[in-house]
Amino acid sequence: QSALTQPASVSGSPGQSITISCTGSSSDIGGYSYVSWYQQHPGKAPKLMIYEIGNRPSGVPARFSGSKSGNTASLTISGLQAEDESDYYCCSYKSPDSYVFGTGTKVTVL
Amino acid sequence: QVQLVESGGGVVQPGRSLRLSCAASGFTFHDYSIHWFRQAPGTGLEWVAVASADGTIKFYGDSVKGRFTVSRDNSNNVLYLQMSSLRPDDTAMYYCAREPRSSVGGPSAFYFDFWGQGTLVTVS
């Protein structure tokens, strides 16, 4: 199963906004509303940040938002903070009966 | 609080078998599908397998199909991953995670809200 395509790295200064793209196909991102995003600090387990394209679980700051257009999903961090420096992975349900993750994006806060 | 704790990892020779466990607490285990994932060193996440809430429905990723078997013991709140014919490229941190129930009914929400800390498998 081919991974979804994410930029390897994205950086921004504190307070800036950054967007991470996640590109798939009509059999995953384009065909379903089941896109989620995970934050993973080094040596730690992934943490759910966004589900169903743009929904935030309780406890996730409002500066995290998600969207989708066609076969590409996006995660935006508005008002970047130092603690947002981490790896981020998108994930999509993929027909039939499987899931595919993105290649991962390292976010650096300058 | 919801907890998932993986165990059973270690160093194993190619071609041998290993069984991982995922012990759950803090929620009604038999109401949720539970998934296995893995992450090879320095790489991204890969979905491995899922067992439905009652354990009757199981799906596998292409890279493990026919070699790995997922099962669960709902009496003891444990999910298992039996891994056989292990290969060096199975070397990874293995995580289990819970899939919530759909907010509009149905068993699947298609995302993963709680993760364990992982157990490391090295095939060498």
Side-chain angles (χ1 to χ4, degrees):
Chain A
Q1 289 158 328
S2 298
L4 306 173
T5 301
Q6 297 181 232
S9 63
V10 173
S11 61
S13 299
Q16 286 187 329
S17 292
I18 62 167
T19 297
I20 303 168
S21 61
C22 171
T23 301
S25 67
S26 58
S27 63
D28 40 65
I29 292 176
Y32 305 94
S33 298
Y34 303 131
V35 177
S36 51
W37 289 88
Y38 302 86
Q39 176 191 65
Q40 188 180 33
H41 291 295
K44 300 295 186 181
K47 175 187 175 184
L48 175 68
M49 304 301 284
I50 295 288
Y51 65 96
E52 293 173 357
I53 299 176
N55 294 318
R56 276 179 294 106
S58 61
V60 171
R63 63 180 183 274
F64 289 87
S65 62
S67 62
K68 188 188 94 165
S69 177
N71 295 337
T72 298
S74 299
L75 175 71
T76 297
I77 309 175
S78 305
L80 197 62
Q81 298 189 9
E83 61 261 36
D84 300 334
E85 186 162 294
S86 188
D87 294 326
Y88 291 84
Y89 294 91
C90 59
C91 179
S92 175
Y93 173 78
K94 183 177 179 70
S95 176
D97 302 316
S98 70
Y99 293 83
V100 60
F101 281 89
T103 48
T105 298
K106 181 176 179 59
V107 169
T108 301
V109 181
L110 301 172
Chain B
Q1 71 280 23
V2 173
Q3 271 200 308
L4 296 164
V5 179
E6 303 91 338
S7 62
V11 180
V12 60
Q13 293 178 329
R16 304 297 291 262
S17 298
L18 198 65
R19 189 179 79 162
L20 305 182
S21 300
C22 169
S25 60
F27 64 100
T28 306
F29 184 68
H30 63 252
D31 280 346
Y32 294 85
S33 296
I34 309 291
H35 297 248
W36 285 104
F37 304 85
R38 67 184 182 181
Q39 186 171 33
T43 70
L45 295 163
E46 180 187 6
W47 176 78
V48 172
V50 59
S52 63
D54 64 2
T56 59
I57 299 172
K58 304 169 187 180
F59 297 115
Y60 300 90
D62 288 344
S63 61
V64 307
K65 206 171 292 185
R67 299 187 301 123
F68 289 12
T69 302
V70 63
S71 62
R72 59 192 294 163
D73 177 354
N74 282 353
S75 298
N76 291 297
N77 296 349
V78 184
L79 177 78
Y80 298 103
L81 185 67
Q82 179 69 46
M83 306 184 294
S84 61
S85 302
L86 281 162
R87 311 187 299 223
D89 63 356
D90 294 317
T91 293
M93 183 71 78
Y94 284 74
Y95 297 97
C96 60
R98 187 183 81 166
E99 178 183 1
R101 296 183 64 84
S102 169
S103 59
V104 295
S108 300
F110 303 97
Y111 63 92
F112 320 105
D113 59 353
F114 289 94
W115 295 65
Q117 289 303 304
T119 186
L120 181 62
V121 173
T122 302
V123 184
S124 176

